[in-house]
Amino acid sequence: MILSSTIKRILTQLRHDPRTIALIIVVPTLLITLIYFMYDEQPAVFDRIALTMLGVFPFIVMFLITSIAMLRERTTGTLERLFTTPVGKLDLLFGYGVAFGLAAAAQATVAAGFAYWVLDMTTAGSLSLVILIAVANAVLGVALGLLCSAFARTEFQAVQFMPLVVAPQLLLCGLFVPRAAMAGWLQAISDVLPMSYSVEALTEVGANAEPTGIMWRDLAVVVGAVVVALTLGAATLRRRTP
Amino acid sequence: MDTAIEVTDLVVKRGKRVVLDGFSCVIPRGSVTGLLGPSGSGKTTLMRAIVGVQVVESGGVTVLGHPAGSTPLRRKIGYLTQAPSVYADLTVRENTRYFASLYRLKAAVADEAIAAVGLTGAAGQLVADLSGGQRSRASLACAIVGRPEVLVLDEPTVGQDPVLRDELWDHFRRLAADGTTVLVSSHVMDEANRCDRLLLIREGALIADDTPAGVKHAAGADDLDQAFLQLIKRQAVAA
Ligand SMILES: Nc1ncnc2c1ncn2[C@@H]1O[C@H](COP(=O)(O)OP(=O)(O)O)[C@@H](O)[C@H]1O
Ligand SMILES: [Mg+2]
């Protein structure tokens, strides 16, 4: 009951901000279109990059939105007040996770649908698996955003966490250099970054008609990372503050 | 006297400063108690300790027989933070309904709270578009919506026009008459006359705990402003 009304509250806040909704929905589609024209002559390259981006965009967007939204809860005093009410930490964590997860699902569906039907992206596996992995990645962004908001005092600082969290994962996920071709220590870093697994899972869907064991394992790793990040995030939510 | 809030030897440090140093007081049930003192004297800190969101060094705070901040109190306490803490990107009604839902209360209860703070006409407006005074009333609506047994209000009347201020005090008096324990902080002395009891606080120390008439009598002054000054002087001499 508290969880569902918290989800509703967060979605209502989003609904009052049509510009943000438009950005969430339209920007990934626009960027994928851009990639389409960049690789006009190389449909195979487009397929690979667009597929990866379908996983990366929801992560970035949801990370940003969540860290700012949670920071606002902390700085405007609403979090302090909520902690004097029957709200539990899990209501808040899952409230944000579910609400923004739903927004991410909408985003991923539009972007992936557009890539498939308008830009002729092709994958051996099914579209619904692509969306599933994209949403898992978005929820990972939500969880990390909740965690990082604890270390920022201003929205300005919160935004600065994005390159810190996103750039290494994007560079080392295998999109630019195949993971197998990386130096050993870079591979070791790549091995502990969750996005490496979501990108690998997407690649599996791209190459195989049926879901593979590797894909399910990778998805499980991403979900595991979500649980770890949420647990750490819960530890940063303190009822009592100095 | 039935006790609602009991603070014993409370020590609170914020940053490097000791804000409350062995503070003790008792607040009776079903009364309006005014917490008065200059800015920076520790009013907000004490209220945060009472609602259970302040890290405390030592000492105890008991509310309705439970340790401050414990689970059973979370449905019985309402807290108005000094700066309005409502969602600016929600309407007044959406905010109040959300807080009502946390106590499993229906939307109609939220509408009553909005009416009680005189915001019915602005219920559909986004909080971001309200004036400062309206915004703090929206925040107040969310504090009273759960019909708490203990209501802790940090400067609820700041920025309100005199008519509204009067109405808000009437409302606090009505709540107390119905058995609610209301703790209101203020740095405006003329409001203090409407309280049953006053706690005068200065630099984290309690310098008076009495009825408004009792405070004036003890200080030998006609108005509370003067009485407060007298008590401070006396305390300085004694120290
Ligand atoms: N977050 C904080 N960190 C450090 N010191 C603080 C903090 N908040 C308040 N203080 C200090 O604690 C003292 C009491 O503050 P406060 O309880 O807000 O007083 P009041 O509400 O009576 O104006 C002040 O000296 C203030 O500077
Ligand atoms: Mg204060």
Side-chain angles (χ1 to χ4, degrees), chain B residues 127-151:
Chain B
V127 167
D129 299 336
L130 299 179
S131 72
Q134 286 177 316
R135 206 178 290 201
S136 65
R137 275 184 282 144
S139 191
L140 180 61
C142 297
I144 63 174
V145 75
R147 298 181 171 159
E149 286 176 48
V150 174
L151 195 50

Side-chain angles (χ1 to χ4, degrees), chain A residues 10-233:
Chain A
I10 296 166
L11 288 175
T12 311
Q13 286 180 283
L14 200 54
R15 191 166 51 81
H16 282 298
D17 188 356
R19 198 170 302 181
T20 295
I21 297 179
L23 288 170
I24 289 177
I25 300 295
V26 174
V27 169
T29 304
L30 279 179
L31 291 176
I32 287 177
T33 309
L34 185 68
I35 296 170
Y36 173 79
F37 286 112
M38 282 167 64
Y39 296 97
D40 207 6
E41 307 290 313
Q42 300 156 278
V45 180
F46 166 71
D47 283 353
R48 188 172 69 88
I49 297 180
L51 186 58
T52 307
M53 286 304 158
L54 284 175
V56 172
F57 289 138
F59 176 84
I60 297 178
V61 173
M62 293 305 146
F63 175 82
L64 259 183
I65 290 184
T66 312
S67 49
I68 302 275
M70 197 63 205
L71 185 74
R72 283 191 189 158
E73 294 259 23
R74 292 178 197 269
T75 54
T76 60
T78 48
L79 186 64
E80 175 174 319
R81 168 185 253 169
L82 285 176
F83 277 152
T84 68
T85 73
V87 168
K89 289 180 188 180
L90 292 182
D91 292 317
L92 282 175
L93 289 173
F94 285 108
Y96 275 103
V98 174
F100 289 155
L102 287 172
Q107 179 190 53
T109 308
V110 171
F114 190 82
Y116 270 78
W117 289 305
V118 182
L119 305 178
D120 293 323
M121 185 179 100
T122 50
T123 53
S126 88
L127 168 64
S128 54
L129 284 173
V130 172
I131 293 173
L132 177 70
I133 296 166
V135 170
N137 230 15
V139 176
L140 178 67
V142 171
L144 287 174
L146 287 170
L147 178 59
C148 288
S149 75
F151 302 101
R153 284 183 178 269
T154 61
E155 295 186 9
F156 213 44
Q157 290 176 1
V159 174
Q160 301 305 320
F161 273 103
M162 194 195 75
L164 188 68
V165 171
V166 174
Q169 303 211 64
L170 190 58
L171 291 175
L172 297 177
C173 72
L175 177 64
F176 297 99
V177 179
R179 280 168 20 97
M182 288 178 195
W185 63 280
L186 281 179
Q187 243 183 72
I189 298 177
S190 171
D191 282 348
V192 296
L193 297 177
M195 204 190 279
S196 307
Y197 297 89
S198 39
V199 169
E200 190 179 57
L202 285 168
T203 312
E204 289 287 304
V205 178
N208 302 284
E210 292 301 314
T212 64
I214 295 179
M215 189 215 86
W216 288 120
R217 185 211 59 185
D218 288 343
L219 194 57
V221 171
V222 174
V223 172
V226 169
V227 173
V228 171
L230 282 180
T231 311
L232 293 174

Side-chain angles (χ1 to χ4, degrees), chain B:
Chain B
M1 185 174 77
D2 198 3
T3 300
I5 302 171
E6 188 165 10
V7 180
T8 16
D9 293 326
L10 184 65
V11 179
V12 177
K13 264 191 190 168
R14 299 189 83 172
K16 289 194 170 57
R17 277 194 53 164
V18 179
V19 177
L20 299 174
D21 192 4
F23 191 97
S24 300
C25 69
V26 168
I27 294 167
R29 235 182 244 245
S31 63
V32 179
T33 301
L35 177 61
L36 293 134
S39 181
S41 55
K43 301 182 296 291
T44 298
T45 306
L46 178 63
M47 292 184 142
R48 278 170 44 87
I50 289 171
V51 300
V53 296
Q54 174 69 50
V55 173
V56 304
E57 209 74 14
S58 64
V61 183
T62 316
V63 181
L64 304 172
H66 301 281
S70 57
T71 318
L73 287 178
R74 292 193 199 130
R75 353 192 112 266
K76 298 183 176 175
I77 209 158
Y79 174 41
L80 175 76
T81 53
Q82 185 167 356
S85 50
V86 275
Y87 298 98
D89 46 4
L90 292 182
T91 65
V92 174
R93 190 181 290 118
E94 287 162 348
N95 267 293
T96 317
R97 285 188 180 176
Y98 174 57
F99 280 94
S101 76
L102 303 181
Y103 306 95
R104 298 170 198 283
L105 296 171
K106 297 219 160 49
V109 181
D111 296 340
E112 282 170 37
I114 294 170
V117 299
L119 274 183
T120 304
Q125 246 171 293
L126 285 182
V127 167
D129 299 336
L130 299 179
S131 72
Q134 286 177 316
R135 206 178 290 201
S136 65
R137 275 184 282 144
S139 191
L140 180 61
C142 297
I144 63 174
V145 75
R147 298 181 171 159
E149 286 176 48
V150 174
L151 195 50
V152 177
L153 307 174
D154 201 350
E155 311 218 0
T157 56
V158 168
Q160 307 298 346
D161 72 60
V163 178
L164 264 164
R165 203 147 67 185
D166 198 54
E167 283 173 19
L168 289 178
W169 274 99
D170 283 343
H171 189 68
F172 303 154
R173 295 250 39 115
R174 268 200 306 280
L175 289 172
D178 291 343
T180 308
T181 305
V182 187
L183 177 64
V184 187
S185 77
S186 176
H187 58 255
V188 192
M189 291 296 160
D190 65 357
E191 294 187 336
N193 284 307
R194 308 200 56 173
C195 299
D196 299 308
R197 294 194 71 81
L198 297 179
L199 300 169
L200 298 189
I201 178 175
R202 184 164 180 270
E203 290 177 358
L206 187 65
I207 59 171
D209 176 2
D210 208 336
T211 59
V215 170
K216 283 183 268 194
H217 182 74
D222 300 333
D223 70 275
L224 283 166
D225 254 326
Q226 284 301 321
F228 196 40
L229 279 172
Q230 281 296 328
L231 291 169
I232 289 168
K233 276 187 200 149
R234 230 179 265 173
Q235 190 200 31
V237 171

